[in-house]
Amino acid sequence: MERPLTQHIHPDGTTRTLREYVKDGGYRCLQKLAAGLAPKDVQRLVTEAGLRGRGGGGFPTGTKWSFVPMGPDAPKPKYIVANGDEMEPGTFKDRVLMEGDSHGLIEGMILAGYALDAEVGYIFLRGEYHLSAQRLNQAIAEAYAEGYLGKTIPGTGFRFDLHLHSSAGRYICGEETALINALEGKRAVPRAKPPFPQTVGLWGQPTVVQNVETFYNLPHIVNHGAAWYHSLSHTQDGGTKIYGVSGRVIHPGWWELPLGTTAREILEEHAGGMANGVRFRGVLPGGISTAFLVEKHLDLPLDFSSLPPQVGRLGTGTMIVLDDHTCPVGFVLNLERFFARESCGWCTPCREGLPWVARILTSFEEGHASKDDLALLDMHTKWLAPGHTFCGLAPGAMAPLQSALQYFREDFEQHISRGRCPWSKKPAQLKVLV
Amino acid sequence: MLSETERRELEEAVKHYPDKRGAAIDALLTIQRRRGWISDDLLLDIAQFLEITAEDLDSVATFYNLIFRKPVGRHVAFMCDSISCWIKGCERVQEQIKNLYDVELGQTTSDGRLTLLPIACLGQCERAPAIMIDQDVHGDITPDTIEQIVEKYK
Ligand SMILES: Cc1cc2nc3c(=O)[nH]c(=O)nc-3n(C[C@H](O)[C@H](O)[C@H](O)COP(=O)(O)O)c2cc1C
Ligand code: SF4
Ligand code: FES
């Protein structure tokens, strides 16, 4: 099984140097550009490869690029931005890549810049990723010294400059228009769309924001072609995916696997199954803005086009497992407290609605919730549905809540009928496992 | 007053953006690395350097949780309270920190040694629960091991 993105990452966690990266074929695709691969050829390859954005939305990258104005009359400069905010709870895949193989991001960004004739790039990195920052800074310095950055790439007339921006917290920075405001030195509140960043983005210029993992795929697509890229996956979406698992499984971790691998394979074969003494109840497949999958969904291929929308979305591909020693209501309360805290406060339904949801869930945990509260939770999943708020944060917050109300409804009802959390008095919960 | 070195660092930060304002967050973080937190006086100086109003800069500074507008201890511990760490018992570790150092989330110990803050998922979920002290991440922490870790930060 091929693992183009991660095969060279050192298992001991040490830095991979520029020399190693180049020895293993790194920056080789720049020669292809010099040999005549035109920007539109790179665009076409990416479209044919069926690359879908890895930031959670799964938007086709080639389609996104097609909205960028091209040609001699296009505005200058254009910007390429790597979204390395990675604050979605349960998600750690971009960190693995940035720490393990920093040059892959740089090479991917140069390629995107070339394809879109955009000469400046920013890596937007969450402030807590100090090791990533250190390694990326080192890699950027090496790439400048070698002339991959800051100098015309021989035979192309194209030159790319790259900057690292370390952020200062707040989950909303990961939303691409909020990210653009943050990069401009402003409060990270989302912007209205349209206009989309591809035409009016950073400092009013055309801007393409992609997830870090998305960029890592580009050099491999250019080097090996679209057919090879499709052969990596089990489904119609091309390539591999970095999947991860956390929660009470035997081996929490991450694995690069064919896109379309099932949750069952990931949980049982790679994560080693559930930890001793606990049973599986459900899983959020990719960060906390996704809906729960339960036993009956475990054999569905996990990619961006096979999961039926009424079931859920893959999201970031890093899963969080709910086990039977953990209260589902307490679990969802933790999620909604996160969302309430991280709401940017720009639009009323989210700013007011999320703390309300968290308060109601607290009343369940404290044992004084009523049937009306259950109905209120149901209502909120409609009030904060897509289209009712300014950005995707609040609808994302409703995905786990709505699915929990569907699959774990008896647990909510038991909190009401017993007047307490059925899990809270069990010393067993504290002792069984860590 | 910003020192000469600090000014030079700000000049460097500004080079990465087409306008000075773009460097607002870098500037706040740069000065905070040296001073620990952003006092009103520092805020005024940085705003003047960036050629924006202090009110404008303060609206930015107060938006981001890694910029401190109040004094913090010599070390800052960021306790992840997101879902994977919650499942693995971060609340018990936090309880233990409270017992050992008499400090709650959002507070600083009376000797000024440690500020304890909650933080969103640190991206270390495969070794939950996790804590970041200053710039170091510690994973798989337990109520039994936390004292040994915190004791490294005097
Ligand atoms: C609240 C919120 C947070 C987000 N956080 C991230 C993030 O941390 N990283 C990321 O790549 N995308 C994040 N996104 C998605 C981005 O807005 C954007 O769609 C993505 O970066 C595009 O990259 P892709 O097409 O390569 O997936 C977030 C979206 C929302 C609504
Ligand atoms: S939905 Fe929430 S995070 Fe998004 S703009 Fe509205 S208040 Fe801000
Ligand atoms: S949930 Fe704590 S590190 Fe991810």
Side-chain angles (χ1 to χ4, degrees):
Chain A
M1 196 159 50
E2 290 186 83
R3 298 189 298 118
L5 271 51
T6 58
Q7 62 176 330
H8 297 298
I9 291 182
H10 297 172
D12 65 358
T14 49
T15 320
R16 200 158 165 251
T17 61
L18 176 64
R19 259 194 38 220
E20 286 174 86
Y21 186 72
V22 169
K23 182 173 81 35
D24 295 323
Y27 292 110
R28 197 177 71 199
C29 61
L30 302 187
Q31 292 157 21
K32 286 209 163 186
L33 308 185
L37 196 70
K40 65 175 184 328
D41 299 328
V42 178
Q43 288 198 27
R44 185 177 39 77
L45 269 173
V46 168
T47 306
E48 286 173 4
L51 173 63
R52 313 269 304 236
R54 305 297 200 238
F59 195 80
T61 303
T63 310
K64 186 185 235 176
W65 289 8
S66 69
F67 300 116
V68 176
M70 296 294 290
D73 299 333
K76 289 238 151 205
K78 296 182 243 179
Y79 293 104
I80 300 293
V81 178
N83 189 342
D85 196 50
E86 189 155 81
M87 286 184 70
E88 184 72 32
T91 305
F92 47 94
K93 65 188 183 69
D94 298 338
R95 171 181 62 78
V96 166
L97 291 169
M98 291 185 291
E99 287 179 3
D101 207 3
S102 315
H103 281 284
L105 179 56
I106 299 174
E107 187 177 6
M109 292 184 74
I110 295 173
L111 273 175
Y114 178 78
L116 299 168
D117 200 16
E119 64 246 72
V120 184
Y122 284 92
I123 300 171
F124 187 96
L125 184 68
R126 69 175 292 188
E128 294 89 341
Y129 277 2
H130 296 290
L131 186 58
S132 298
Q134 191 189 317
R135 292 190 175 173
L136 285 167
N137 269 326
Q138 165 85 27
I140 291 171
E142 288 171 342
Y144 267 104
E146 279 300 310
Y148 300 123
L149 291 173
K151 280 212 186 89
T152 304
I153 297 169
T156 65
F158 175 74
R159 161 197 162 133
F160 191 67
D161 277 289
L162 182 58
H163 308 275
L164 177 70
H165 173 96
S166 278
S167 181
R170 297 308 292 276
Y171 171 66
I172 191 60
C173 289
E175 197 282 333
E176 62 181 4
T177 60
L179 182 151
I180 287 171
N181 275 331
L183 261 181
E184 292 185 6
K186 301 176 181 154
R187 289 168 80 94
V189 289
R191 293 180 178 179
K193 293 195 253 189
F196 289 91
Q198 294 100 303
T199 50
V200 183
L202 203 47
W203 294 289
Q205 301 297 110
T207 302
V208 164
V209 182
Q210 305 277 176
N211 173 252
V212 161
E213 187 185 352
T214 311
F215 284 110
Y216 275 88
N217 284 273
L218 299 176
H220 302 287
I221 292 172
V222 169
N223 281 330
H224 304 292
W228 169 86
Y229 193 71
H230 275 286
S231 77
L232 295 176
S233 92
H234 287 330
T235 60
Q236 72 190 80
D237 302 341
T240 59
K241 177 81 192 76
I242 302 185
Y243 294 99
V245 179
S246 62
R248 286 196 178 116
V249 292
I250 295 191
H251 303 297
W254 60 267
W255 308 272
E256 182 182 359
L257 299 169
L259 201 48
T261 303
T262 64
R264 191 182 304 284
E265 178 185 327
I266 296 165
L267 292 172
E268 291 177 4
E269 290 180 29
H270 303 286
M274 298 303 290
N276 292 333
V278 298
R279 289 219 226 123
F280 173 88
R281 288 205 69 195
V283 61
L284 299 176
I288 69 171
S289 307
T290 54
F292 278 101
L293 302 181
V294 292
E295 176 65 35
K296 67 180 173 194
H297 303 126
L298 292 186
D299 295 310
L300 291 170
L302 290 183
D303 69 358
F304 300 105
S305 31
S306 312
L307 277 183
Q310 65 277 16
V311 171
R313 304 185 301 120
L314 172 56
T316 62
T318 36
M319 329 183 167
I320 307 139
V321 179
L322 169 68
D323 62 85
D324 67 343
H325 282 56
T326 300
C327 171
V329 179
F331 186 109
V332 176
L333 170 60
N334 177 279
L335 309 185
E336 300 307 328
R337 278 195 179 138
F338 168 89
F339 285 117
R341 181 172 79 195
E342 297 298 335
S343 163
C344 81
W346 184 251
C347 67
T348 315
C350 169
R351 182 183 61 237
E352 303 294 327
L354 291 174
W356 191 358
V357 167
R359 274 199 305 278
I360 299 170
L361 288 166
T362 305
S363 73
F364 275 84
E365 283 298 89
E366 291 175 350
H368 46 77
S370 68
K371 282 251 177 282
D372 291 345
D373 291 317
L374 196 56
L376 262 177
L377 288 178
D378 287 328
M379 291 305 291
H380 271 95
T381 65
K382 301 194 175 63
W383 292 336
L384 298 181
H388 295 249
T389 60
F390 197 69
C391 87
L393 183 141
M398 292 302 102
L401 175 63
Q402 201 218 334
S403 51
L405 287 166
Q406 183 183 347
Y407 303 126
F408 311 121
R409 202 165 189 91
E410 335 70 274
D411 296 290
F412 284 82
E413 285 164 349
Q414 277 193 16
H415 281 72
I416 301 173
S417 60
R418 297 201 199 174
R420 67 179 187 88
C421 169
W423 277 265
S424 73
K425 296 268 155 32
K426 267 196 202 157
Q429 189 203 356
L430 303 182
K431 287 216 189 96
V432 190
L433 330 133
V434 199
Chain B
M1 274 283 281
L2 298 175
S3 71
E4 265 317 300
T5 324
E6 285 169 336
R7 282 188 176 277
R8 268 199 303 279
E9 284 184 355
L10 296 192
E11 300 285 359
E12 272 310 304
V14 165
K15 286 186 188 154
H16 294 285
Y17 303 88
D19 60 14
K20 281 188 162 181
R21 203 248 148 74
I25 292 155
D26 297 49
L28 289 163
L29 287 174
T30 302
I31 300 305
Q32 182 171 286
R33 259 192 297 278
R34 294 189 170 271
R35 307 285 189 117
W37 65 292
I38 304 292
S39 64
D40 288 350
D41 286 345
L42 287 170
L43 187 90
L44 283 167
D45 290 345
I46 301 169
Q48 198 175 32
F49 178 89
L50 296 172
E51 295 165 21
I52 59 179
T53 64
E55 289 79 3
D56 190 353
L57 187 63
D58 201 21
S59 80
V60 174
T62 52
F63 185 89
Y64 296 92
N65 59 296
L66 296 181
I67 293 168
F68 308 136
R69 287 285 280 116
K70 287 185 194 157
V72 290
R74 288 195 295 287
H75 303 285
V76 183
F78 300 92
M79 180 85 215
C80 174
D81 62 359
S82 291
I83 189 64
S84 310
C85 291
W86 179 80
I87 296 173
K88 291 291 194 80
C90 65
E91 286 174 341
R92 282 181 291 138
V93 179
Q94 191 197 314
E95 192 63 27
Q96 180 72 349
I97 294 179
K98 188 181 149 191
N99 294 339
L100 291 168
Y101 301 101
D102 192 24
V103 62
E104 305 250 20
L105 288 176
Q107 296 179 343
T108 302
T109 53
S110 52
D111 59 0
R113 173 173 161 203
L114 190 76
T115 299
L116 184 66
L117 297 174
I119 194 95
C121 172
L122 285 168
Q124 309 284 340
C125 330
E126 82 275 37
R127 43 199 200 113
I131 192 169
M132 184 172 81
I133 308 183
D134 300 336
Q135 300 201 352
D136 314 327
V137 179
H138 305 272
D140 291 319
I141 54 172
T142 69
D144 296 334
T145 59
I146 191 65
E147 181 170 14
Q148 207 187 326
I149 294 168
V150 175
E151 282 309 305
K152 291 184 206 146
Y153 301 85
K154 288 295 182 188

